[in-house]
Amino acid sequence: MPTFKYLLIIFLSGFIISCGSNSGKKKNDFILQTNAEKGNISNNNTLKLSLINKKNHTIDSVAYTLNNNRIKENTALNSFKLGKQTIEAKVYFDNEVETITSAVTILNSIAPKIFSYKIINEYPHDITSYTQGIEFHNGYLYESTGQYKESKLRKINYKTGEVLKNIKLADEYFGEGLTILNNKVFQLTWKEGIGFVYDVETLEKTSSFKYGNSKEGWGLCNHDNVIYKSDGSEKIWLLNPETLVEESYIQVCTNKGKISQINEMEWIDGKIYANRYQKNGVAIINPQNGGVIGVVDFTPLKDLVTQHEKLDVLNGIAYNPETKTVFVTGKRWDKLFEIEIVE
């Protein structure tokens, strides 16, 4: 049995390598080479491309693209998005054209800074709420909660914990993140492939929308008339706020690799602050390229709330523009913490 397993691994490895390098129905006459080490390259480096001409064809010209953007044989990567990208070479020769593709993963050039925090205030929070997302609007805290048959959308007086409006989702929906833009509340569901839109004042549901290439709904935030959506992977999708179509995405990366399970998000001072699922910390993300520029460890906060059987991880981060401070809580936590983040 172990021998069979090793043979299977060898076979699958060979299959992946053969599928991942050069594309085409027939065997290519050219091989595309890069200076990426094991497929990875830092965004402070220059990507260098070259061709192996196996049959010594007379090449007329070569056109290179990186994710459909025209590039040269030597291209600085500092202006490109991070994550796995596709390089394509179109080789023109002998009145023919051959297209070769290869993958490269662009990583951030700098390691994330470590940030700490100071607690400014503590406020009551519903200990039964399986918090998925929180956001401030006009001084009130809006919260989306999860779990089947328990999911809700709420408007809350955050200072007292009083629930001012409460909308229960149908039992078949597992509520996820939310964000507020243009007097609308956008709320995700987890695996149902649908999101809901509500009037921000009445919480009356006005419409719904379906997901595109993102298969699940995790977290939302917004800035400058763009909605950002996480789906549990390393990708953060950029949605058109009118059509809610996924128009592009960034991939969250450090200097070591891609970071997956991006969850609840908040836009703060030009950066995306994001919870990671099952982690008691927050990643600070550059929204232009997906680079993680900082990390905040909130692990000690969990010890400051009431300990009980259903207590779960940190989840929920919101910026209050009135106080210019950050608020965090967790799943079935009985406290909402107002904090200041410090380097």
Side-chain angles (χ1 to χ4, degrees), residues 225-238:
N225 217 34
V226 175
I227 294 176
Y228 296 82
K229 175 185 182 293
S230 64
D231 62 2
S233 70
E234 73 279 2
K235 293 180 179 178
I236 297 177
W237 300 83
L238 279 64

Side-chain angles (χ1 to χ4, degrees), residues 146-164:
Q147 296 292 342
Y148 292 109
K149 299 183 179 181
E150 296 181 26
S151 295
K152 300 174 287 290
L153 172 63
R154 288 177 157 182
K155 181 179 179 180
I156 300 166
N157 180 333
Y158 75 92
K159 292 183 178 179
T160 64
E162 179 188 2
V163 178
L164 305 176

Side-chain angles (χ1 to χ4, degrees), residues 140-338:
Y140 296 103
L141 186 69
Y142 290 74
E143 180 177 28
S144 175
T145 73
Q147 296 292 342
Y148 292 109
K149 299 183 179 181
E150 296 181 26
S151 295
K152 300 174 287 290
L153 172 63
R154 288 177 157 182
K155 181 179 179 180
I156 300 166
N157 180 333
Y158 75 92
K159 292 183 178 179
T160 64
E162 179 188 2
V163 178
L164 305 176
K165 282 188 171 59
N166 185 81
I167 303 297
K168 188 178 183 303
L169 273 65
D171 289 350
E172 65 267 26
Y173 294 115
F174 191 117
E176 284 284 348
L178 88 166
T179 196
I180 300 166
L181 179 64
N182 299 330
N183 294 316
K184 298 175 184 177
V185 181
F186 300 86
Q187 182 187 34
L188 299 175
T189 63
W190 181 24
K191 292 185 175 181
E192 290 70 52
I194 191 171
F196 301 117
V197 184
Y198 306 83
D199 178 271
V200 72
E201 297 299 334
T202 65
L203 295 193
E204 177 185 355
K205 189 189 298 181
T206 57
S207 63
S208 62
F209 60 97
K210 293 184 178 181
Y211 305 159
N213 290 315
S214 62
K215 303 304 179 187
E216 295 184 357
W218 285 48
L220 288 175
C221 69
N222 77 83
H223 175 71
D224 199 21
N225 217 34
V226 175
I227 294 176
Y228 296 82
K229 175 185 182 293
S230 64
D231 62 2
S233 70
E234 73 279 2
K235 293 180 179 178
I236 297 177
W237 300 83
L238 279 64
L239 277 60
N240 181 305
E242 300 301 326
T243 64
L244 298 170
V245 170
E246 298 160 1
E247 295 184 334
S248 62
Y249 62 84
I250 57 174
Q251 300 173 70
V252 181
C253 294
T254 66
N255 58 319
K256 299 294 186 182
K258 293 183 289 186
I259 302 297
S260 62
Q261 295 186 307
I262 302 301
N263 201 5
E264 147 81 329
M265 301 183 295
E266 181 79 357
W267 185 282
I268 304 174
D269 292 333
K271 305 293 185 291
I272 295 175
Y273 285 59
N275 290 128
R276 286 188 67 202
Y277 181 61
Q278 292 299 324
K279 306 290 183 182
N280 285 302
V282 164
I284 305 173
I285 302 164
N286 178 348
Q288 302 303 316
N289 65 3
V292 179
I293 60 175
V295 176
V296 192
D297 183 9
F298 287 113
T299 301
L301 287 181
K302 192 175 179 181
D303 295 330
L304 301 180
V305 302
T306 298
Q307 306 297 298
H308 61 100
E309 184 180 356
K310 291 187 175 182
L311 183 67
D312 212 323
V313 295
L314 176 100
N315 200 54
I317 179 166
Y319 178 76
N320 188 346
E322 294 185 357
T323 59
K324 293 181 170 56
T325 51
V326 177
F327 290 70
V328 294
T329 188
K331 300 175 185 290
R332 307 197 196 282
W333 288 20
D334 64 348
K335 290 181 181 178
L336 172 72
F337 295 95
E338 183 180 6

Side-chain angles (χ1 to χ4, degrees), residues 81-95:
K81 294 179 182 178
L82 305 183
K84 187 175 182 180
Q85 314 291 349
T86 300
I87 305 170
E88 182 180 275
K90 281 192 174 182
V91 187
Y92 298 87
F93 66 101
D94 301 338
N95 295 319

